[in-house]
Amino acid sequence: MRLFFTILVGLCLVTGCDNQDNSTQLISNENFLIIAHRGASAFAPEHTMIAYEIAHQAEVDYIEIDLQMTKDGVLVAMHDEKVDRTTDGTGLVKEYTLQELKQLNAGKWFNEEYPGLANREFENEQVPTLEEIFLHFGDEVNYYIELKSPRIYEGMEEKLLALLKKYDLIREGQDLPKVIVESFNEDSLTNFHALEPTLPLIQLFSFKEKAALSHSDYKRLQAYASGIGVNLKSVDQDFIHDAQLNGLQVHLYSLKNEIDIKNAFHLDANGVFVDSPILSELILKEES
Ligand code: G3P
Ligand code: CA
């Protein structure tokens, strides 16, 4: 089935199927991408160096990093706008300077919430900056980076681009792009595309019911996005094939268990955000 669909998409690209004129196809369709959601977040506190390190050891295709920004304009890895859930502090990230944010413990909460997975070492974890992550992993991993709350952080796209340039992470023509940027915010992605058109962008959607995109949605997306990231529960195979025939990859989030991972693979998605990369690799080896 997968081979058949890859051939179909390939033929469409050669012969011209409806609406597939997407000049932003910057990710090869050859690979099924395993993206470690917030690092290996099933095993370690999300968005910490140790969570990314476990994902790296599991040889995932990408580590996923959600970005927030401090009061003094530093990009840091965190999912929520507030520090409350994943540190021992309270309040908004944007009200902390980096120095203040670094005083917070980013691992204790995990040990308290998941005593069966608790590890003393997690309690040494701080909130990492994006720059620290780049310095730590360099070229050894690929980065899938989410502009998380761009409407509250002015200049976030420019800051991300400056760091990508500083660490020479913008590469064209590779089988797996070194960096993919994602966001729920369309304005942020179109802004990013205008700044740097060679980086693949993924538009995120969270559909409450059945996923659906119109002809005009596809036209708009084709102008800046290489794909879409969609919540697994909202999609069926027709939706995924339709998006692919419109020149967009489909990456599904967030997969929690074996059933989710098998479903996503058989739906012909192009990639998955998984909390448990080790389990995912095992299942996908069996299924393919
Ligand atoms: O980025 C894909 C997925 O991570 C979106 O959900 O809330 O985990 O960032 P969230
Ligand atoms: Ca995310």
Side-chain angles (χ1 to χ4, degrees):
M1 180 55 141
R2 175 165 302 278
L3 180 63
F4 168 75
F5 193 70
T6 304
I7 293 168
L8 180 64
V9 170
L11 276 175
C12 276
L13 293 176
V14 173
T15 60
C17 288
D18 188 34
N19 295 341
Q20 53 70 43
D21 178 25
N22 184 359
S23 59
T24 50
Q25 286 165 326
L26 301 168
I27 312 172
S28 158
N29 287 322
E30 295 297 307
N31 306 297
F32 183 81
L33 304 182
I34 304 283
I35 306 147
H37 183 235
R38 312 182 192 179
S41 53
F43 303 113
E46 66 184 59
H47 291 312
T48 57
M49 282 297 191
I50 201 158
Y52 297 131
E53 192 56 59
I54 296 169
H56 173 42
Q57 306 282 328
E59 298 183 0
V60 295
D61 296 306
Y62 287 87
I63 59 169
E64 195 224 7
I65 304 164
D66 293 326
L67 290 183
Q68 305 284 342
M69 197 159 95
T70 62
K71 190 176 179 176
D72 45 349
V74 181
L75 296 176
V76 294
M78 190 176 287
H79 178 274
D80 301 356
E81 287 172 17
K82 286 183 155 185
V83 301
D84 302 45
R85 183 177 61 84
T86 55
T87 74
D88 55 354
T90 57
L92 293 164
V93 178
K94 70 173 186 178
E95 286 170 356
Y96 282 79
T97 62
L98 181 63
Q99 199 186 13
E100 289 163 350
L101 197 69
K102 284 288 185 185
Q103 307 308 310
L104 304 182
N105 188 298
K108 265 189 203 154
W109 71 273
F110 185 91
N111 287 351
E112 284 159 16
E113 196 153 325
Y114 305 105
L117 296 169
N119 181 332
R120 280 252 174 87
E121 280 183 39
F122 295 161
E123 304 195 2
N124 300 327
E125 293 295 316
Q126 298 176 331
V127 177
T129 67
L130 183 62
E131 184 156 17
E132 287 167 347
I133 297 169
F134 289 165
L135 280 167
H136 183 86
F137 291 104
D139 246 2
E140 288 180 17
V141 300
N142 297 317
Y143 303 94
Y144 202 120
I145 302 174
E146 181 172 354
L147 291 157
K148 200 64 185 161
S149 304
R151 78 200 136 68
I152 65 167
Y153 302 123
E154 210 189 317
M156 190 182 204
E157 297 86 8
E158 286 81 357
K159 278 189 189 287
L160 172 57
L161 189 56
L163 269 186
L164 295 176
K165 285 183 175 164
K166 180 173 176 185
Y167 290 93
D168 193 23
L169 292 170
I170 301 175
R171 320 266 174 80
E172 286 184 71
Q174 289 191 302
D175 187 29
L176 281 186
K178 181 55 57 192
V179 176
I180 297 175
V181 174
E182 54 169 337
S183 186
F184 283 100
N185 187 308
E186 183 172 334
D187 290 342
S188 181
L189 288 185
T190 51
N191 180 17
F192 202 91
H193 184 66
L195 293 168
E196 180 49 70
T198 66
L199 264 186
L201 305 182
I202 299 291
Q203 177 67 57
L204 297 172
F205 291 95
S206 175
F207 291 104
K208 297 271 177 290
E209 294 173 5
K210 196 170 179 306
L213 290 170
S214 65
H215 179 78
S216 63
D217 290 332
Y218 282 126
K219 280 283 168 214
R220 229 178 42 254
L221 287 160
Q222 285 163 0
Y224 67 93
S226 296
I228 54 176
V230 189
N231 46 322
L232 171 69
K233 293 211 167 15
S234 70
V235 300
D236 58 19
Q237 198 167 51
D238 285 347
F239 173 82
I240 291 177
H241 286 178
D242 205 36
Q244 290 165 333
L245 290 172
N246 277 282
L248 297 167
Q249 291 225 335
V250 183
H251 301 165
L252 298 175
Y253 70 87
S254 299
L255 280 54
K256 305 287 179 203
N257 55 44
E258 187 172 346
I259 296 169
D260 285 353
I261 296 163
K262 285 185 177 170
N263 275 346
F265 186 72
H266 292 293
L267 283 168
D268 292 333
N270 302 99
V272 286
F273 295 85
V274 294
D275 293 353
S276 173
I278 298 155
L279 176 66
S280 312
E281 295 284 358
L282 289 175
I283 293 169
L284 291 172
K285 261 188 201 132
E286 273 172 29
E287 297 290 309
S288 48

mmCIF file of all heavy atoms in Angstrom, residues 70-98:
data_model
loop_
_atom_site.group_PDB
_atom_site.id
_atom_site.type_symbol
_atom_site.label_atom_id
_atom_site.label_comp_id
_atom_site.label_asym_id
_atom_site.label_seq_id
_atom_site.Cartn_x
_atom_site.Cartn_y
_atom_site.Cartn_z
ATOM 1 N N THR A 70 12.365 34.333 26.795
ATOM 2 C CA THR A 70 12.482 34.981 28.111
ATOM 3 C C THR A 70 12.312 36.501 27.980
ATOM 4 O O THR A 70 12.335 37.050 26.884
ATOM 5 C CB THR A 70 13.871 34.720 28.733
ATOM 6 O OG1 THR A 70 14.854 35.307 27.875
ATOM 7 C CG2 THR A 70 14.141 33.239 28.915
ATOM 8 N N LYS A 71 12.203 37.128 29.157
ATOM 9 C CA LYS A 71 12.075 38.597 29.226
ATOM 10 C C LYS A 71 13.224 39.299 28.499
ATOM 11 O O LYS A 71 13.047 40.339 27.867
ATOM 12 C CB LYS A 71 12.091 38.976 30.714
ATOM 13 C CG LYS A 71 11.743 40.372 31.059
ATOM 14 C CD LYS A 71 11.732 40.436 32.594
ATOM 15 C CE LYS A 71 11.415 41.779 33.128
ATOM 16 N NZ LYS A 71 11.340 41.728 34.615
ATOM 17 N N ASP A 72 14.428 38.706 28.587
ATOM 18 C CA ASP A 72 15.579 39.315 27.923
ATOM 19 C C ASP A 72 15.834 38.719 26.534
ATOM 20 O O ASP A 72 16.940 38.802 25.999
ATOM 21 C CB ASP A 72 16.836 39.258 28.815
ATOM 22 C CG ASP A 72 17.057 37.919 29.481
ATOM 23 O OD1 ASP A 72 16.150 37.059 29.456
ATOM 24 O OD2 ASP A 72 18.152 37.716 30.033
ATOM 25 N N GLY A 73 14.779 38.124 25.955
ATOM 26 C CA GLY A 73 14.836 37.784 24.534
ATOM 27 C C GLY A 73 15.616 36.524 24.168
ATOM 28 O O GLY A 73 16.108 36.408 23.050
ATOM 29 N N VAL A 74 15.704 35.556 25.099
ATOM 30 C CA VAL A 74 16.431 34.316 24.790
ATOM 31 C C VAL A 74 15.420 33.205 24.493
ATOM 32 O O VAL A 74 14.460 33.006 25.245
ATOM 33 C CB VAL A 74 17.338 33.902 25.982
ATOM 34 C CG1 VAL A 74 18.115 32.632 25.638
ATOM 35 C CG2 VAL A 74 18.280 35.043 26.338
ATOM 36 N N LEU A 75 15.652 32.485 23.388
ATOM 37 C CA LEU A 75 14.760 31.367 23.039
ATOM 38 C C LEU A 75 15.084 30.169 23.912
ATOM 39 O O LEU A 75 16.245 29.745 24.001
ATOM 40 C CB LEU A 75 14.939 30.995 21.558
ATOM 41 C CG LEU A 75 14.534 32.074 20.556
ATOM 42 C CD1 LEU A 75 14.861 31.629 19.129
ATOM 43 C CD2 LEU A 75 13.045 32.417 20.676
ATOM 44 N N VAL A 76 14.046 29.615 24.551
ATOM 45 C CA VAL A 76 14.239 28.470 25.441
ATOM 46 C C VAL A 76 13.252 27.366 25.069
ATOM 47 O O VAL A 76 12.215 27.618 24.456
ATOM 48 C CB VAL A 76 14.039 28.848 26.934
ATOM 49 C CG1 VAL A 76 15.118 29.803 27.399
ATOM 50 C CG2 VAL A 76 12.648 29.430 27.188
ATOM 51 N N ALA A 77 13.603 26.133 25.463
ATOM 52 C CA ALA A 77 12.776 24.978 25.139
ATOM 53 C C ALA A 77 11.726 24.781 26.222
ATOM 54 O O ALA A 77 12.052 24.409 27.352
ATOM 55 C CB ALA A 77 13.657 23.736 25.030
ATOM 56 N N MET A 78 10.492 25.064 25.875
ATOM 57 C CA MET A 78 9.395 24.822 26.817
ATOM 58 C C MET A 78 8.079 24.813 26.059
ATOM 59 O O MET A 78 7.904 25.593 25.119
ATOM 60 C CB MET A 78 9.360 25.886 27.923
ATOM 61 C CG MET A 78 8.385 25.505 29.026
ATOM 62 S SD MET A 78 8.369 26.636 30.426
ATOM 63 C CE MET A 78 9.908 26.263 31.214
ATOM 64 N N HIS A 79 7.181 23.943 26.462
ATOM 65 C CA HIS A 79 5.893 23.848 25.767
ATOM 66 C C HIS A 79 4.926 24.945 26.170
ATOM 67 O O HIS A 79 4.297 25.587 25.327
ATOM 68 C CB HIS A 79 5.256 22.479 26.041
ATOM 69 C CG HIS A 79 3.916 22.307 25.405
ATOM 70 N ND1 HIS A 79 2.742 22.725 25.999
ATOM 71 C CD2 HIS A 79 3.557 21.812 24.200
ATOM 72 C CE1 HIS A 79 1.726 22.461 25.188
ATOM 73 N NE2 HIS A 79 2.191 21.912 24.092
ATOM 74 N N ASP A 80 4.788 25.188 27.457
ATOM 75 C CA ASP A 80 3.753 26.105 27.943
ATOM 76 C C ASP A 80 4.278 27.542 28.016
ATOM 77 O O ASP A 80 5.477 27.762 28.225
ATOM 78 C CB ASP A 80 3.301 25.701 29.360
ATOM 79 C CG ASP A 80 2.737 24.290 29.424
ATOM 80 O OD1 ASP A 80 2.614 23.642 28.363
ATOM 81 O OD2 ASP A 80 2.438 23.825 30.542
ATOM 82 N N GLU A 81 3.346 28.497 27.942
ATOM 83 C CA GLU A 81 3.738 29.902 28.156
ATOM 84 C C GLU A 81 4.109 30.141 29.620
ATOM 85 O O GLU A 81 4.854 31.060 29.943
ATOM 86 C CB GLU A 81 2.590 30.827 27.747
ATOM 87 C CG GLU A 81 2.417 30.891 26.236
ATOM 88 C CD GLU A 81 1.178 31.638 25.791
ATOM 89 O OE1 GLU A 81 0.594 32.393 26.603
ATOM 90 O OE2 GLU A 81 0.776 31.465 24.630
ATOM 91 N N LYS A 82 3.550 29.298 30.504
ATOM 92 C CA LYS A 82 3.868 29.422 31.933
ATOM 93 C C LYS A 82 4.833 28.314 32.353
ATOM 94 O O LYS A 82 4.813 27.220 31.783
ATOM 95 C CB LYS A 82 2.580 29.287 32.756
ATOM 96 C CG LYS A 82 1.681 30.498 32.689
ATOM 97 C CD LYS A 82 0.489 30.298 33.589
ATOM 98 C CE LYS A 82 -0.078 31.634 34.034
ATOM 99 N NZ LYS A 82 -1.158 31.460 35.007
ATOM 100 N N VAL A 83 5.607 28.601 33.381
ATOM 101 C CA VAL A 83 6.591 27.618 33.849
ATOM 102 C C VAL A 83 5.981 26.616 34.829
ATOM 103 O O VAL A 83 6.628 25.629 35.201
ATOM 104 C CB VAL A 83 7.800 28.317 34.531
ATOM 105 C CG1 VAL A 83 8.490 29.280 33.574
ATOM 106 C CG2 VAL A 83 7.376 29.054 35.812
ATOM 107 N N ASP A 84 4.738 26.836 35.235
ATOM 108 C CA ASP A 84 4.139 26.103 36.359
ATOM 109 C C ASP A 84 4.150 24.572 36.217
ATOM 110 O O ASP A 84 4.439 23.859 37.166
ATOM 111 C CB ASP A 84 2.691 26.549 36.577
ATOM 112 C CG ASP A 84 2.583 28.034 36.845
ATOM 113 O OD1 ASP A 84 3.231 28.826 36.125
ATOM 114 O OD2 ASP A 84 1.858 28.416 37.775
ATOM 115 N N ARG A 85 3.801 24.065 35.052
ATOM 116 C CA ARG A 85 3.627 22.610 34.911
ATOM 117 C C ARG A 85 4.964 21.864 34.902
ATOM 118 O O ARG A 85 5.058 20.770 35.461
ATOM 119 C CB ARG A 85 2.844 22.310 33.623
ATOM 120 C CG ARG A 85 2.545 20.827 33.405
ATOM 121 C CD ARG A 85 1.703 20.587 32.155
ATOM 122 N NE ARG A 85 2.336 21.035 30.940
ATOM 123 C CZ ARG A 85 3.220 20.333 30.222
ATOM 124 N NH1 ARG A 85 3.551 19.113 30.607
ATOM 125 N NH2 ARG A 85 3.777 20.828 29.123
ATOM 126 N N THR A 86 5.990 22.451 34.286
ATOM 127 C CA THR A 86 7.221 21.677 34.074
ATOM 128 C C THR A 86 8.436 22.200 34.841
ATOM 129 O O THR A 86 9.574 21.798 34.543
ATOM 130 C CB THR A 86 7.557 21.617 32.561
ATOM 131 O OG1 THR A 86 7.626 22.959 32.059
ATOM 132 C CG2 THR A 86 6.517 20.832 31.798
ATOM 133 N N THR A 87 8.197 23.087 35.799
ATOM 134 C CA THR A 87 9.294 23.489 36.699
ATOM 135 C C THR A 87 8.705 23.665 38.103
ATOM 136 O O THR A 87 7.493 23.535 38.299
ATOM 137 C CB THR A 87 9.963 24.834 36.295
ATOM 138 O OG1 THR A 87 9.077 25.898 36.632
ATOM 139 C CG2 THR A 87 10.313 24.899 34.827
ATOM 140 N N ASP A 88 9.568 24.041 39.038
ATOM 141 C CA ASP A 88 9.073 24.303 40.394
ATOM 142 C C ASP A 88 8.774 25.793 40.592
ATOM 143 O O ASP A 88 8.620 26.255 41.726
ATOM 144 C CB ASP A 88 10.076 23.796 41.445
ATOM 145 C CG ASP A 88 11.466 24.380 41.235
ATOM 146 O OD1 ASP A 88 11.688 25.094 40.213
ATOM 147 O OD2 ASP A 88 12.343 24.124 42.081
ATOM 148 N N GLY A 89 8.689 26.552 39.489
ATOM 149 C CA GLY A 89 8.357 27.975 39.576
ATOM 150 C C GLY A 89 6.910 28.247 39.191
ATOM 151 O O GLY A 89 6.146 27.315 38.902
ATOM 152 N N THR A 90 6.556 29.520 39.185
ATOM 153 C CA THR A 90 5.217 29.934 38.740
ATOM 154 C C THR A 90 5.342 31.161 37.842
ATOM 155 O O THR A 90 6.303 31.926 37.936
ATOM 156 C CB THR A 90 4.297 30.323 39.930
ATOM 157 O OG1 THR A 90 4.940 31.369 40.663
ATOM 158 C CG2 THR A 90 3.995 29.150 40.841
ATOM 159 N N GLY A 91 4.339 31.346 36.988
ATOM 160 C CA GLY A 91 4.282 32.557 36.170
ATOM 161 C C GLY A 91 4.718 32.339 34.721
ATOM 162 O O GLY A 91 5.051 31.219 34.318
ATOM 163 N N LEU A 92 4.686 33.447 33.985
ATOM 164 C CA LEU A 92 4.962 33.396 32.552
ATOM 165 C C LEU A 92 6.463 33.379 32.249
ATOM 166 O O LEU A 92 7.236 34.098 32.911
ATOM 167 C CB LEU A 92 4.353 34.626 31.872
ATOM 168 C CG LEU A 92 2.823 34.699 31.878
ATOM 169 C CD1 LEU A 92 2.350 36.106 31.535
ATOM 170 C CD2 LEU A 92 2.235 33.674 30.898
ATOM 171 N N VAL A 93 6.850 32.610 31.246
ATOM 172 C CA VAL A 93 8.259 32.584 30.814
ATOM 173 C C VAL A 93 8.716 33.991 30.474
ATOM 174 O O VAL A 93 9.828 34.401 30.819
ATOM 175 C CB VAL A 93 8.425 31.667 29.560
ATOM 176 C CG1 VAL A 93 9.860 31.675 29.077
ATOM 177 C CG2 VAL A 93 7.959 30.257 29.840
ATOM 178 N N LYS A 94 7.857 34.759 29.809
ATOM 179 C CA LYS A 94 8.272 36.088 29.332
ATOM 180 C C LYS A 94 8.509 37.069 30.485
ATOM 181 O O LYS A 94 9.001 38.173 30.262
ATOM 182 C CB LYS A 94 7.245 36.660 28.347
ATOM 183 C CG LYS A 94 5.937 37.055 28.952
ATOM 184 C CD LYS A 94 5.068 37.756 27.930
ATOM 185 C CE LYS A 94 3.812 38.280 28.615
ATOM 186 N NZ LYS A 94 2.919 38.993 27.784
ATOM 187 N N GLU A 95 8.151 36.665 31.706
ATOM 188 C CA GLU A 95 8.434 37.532 32.863
ATOM 189 C C GLU A 95 9.720 37.140 33.585
ATOM 190 O O GLU A 95 10.082 37.731 34.603
ATOM 191 C CB GLU A 95 7.230 37.544 33.800
ATOM 192 C CG GLU A 95 6.114 38.376 33.181
ATOM 193 C CD GLU A 95 4.787 38.293 33.880
ATOM 194 O OE1 GLU A 95 4.668 37.515 34.851
ATOM 195 O OE2 GLU A 95 3.861 38.991 33.424
ATOM 196 N N TYR A 96 10.388 36.106 33.106
ATOM 197 C CA TYR A 96 11.664 35.659 33.686
ATOM 198 C C TYR A 96 12.822 36.078 32.787
ATOM 199 O O TYR A 96 12.751 35.911 31.560
ATOM 200 C CB TYR A 96 11.723 34.128 33.756
ATOM 201 C CG TYR A 96 10.945 33.510 34.895
ATOM 202 C CD1 TYR A 96 9.571 33.358 34.828
ATOM 203 C CD2 TYR A 96 11.606 33.043 36.034
ATOM 204 C CE1 TYR A 96 8.859 32.776 35.872
ATOM 205 C CE2 TYR A 96 10.899 32.451 37.080
ATOM 206 C CZ TYR A 96 9.534 32.330 36.990
ATOM 207 O OH TYR A 96 8.847 31.745 38.028
ATOM 208 N N THR A 97 13.891 36.598 33.380
ATOM 209 C CA THR A 97 15.135 36.706 32.605
ATOM 210 C C THR A 97 15.714 35.298 32.512
ATOM 211 O O THR A 97 15.315 34.395 33.279
ATOM 212 C CB THR A 97 16.167 37.599 33.320
ATOM 213 O OG1 THR A 97 16.496 36.982 34.579
ATOM 214 C CG2 THR A 97 15.639 38.996 33.544
ATOM 215 N N LEU A 98 16.672 35.123 31.613
ATOM 216 C CA LEU A 98 17.264 33.787 31.499
ATOM 217 C C LEU A 98 17.896 33.368 32.821
ATOM 218 O O LEU A 98 17.747 32.229 33.264
ATOM 219 C CB LEU A 98 18.308 33.754 30.370
ATOM 220 C CG LEU A 98 18.945 32.376 30.198
ATOM 221 C CD1 LEU A 98 17.914 31.331 29.797
ATOM 222 C CD2 LEU A 98 20.076 32.429 29.200
#
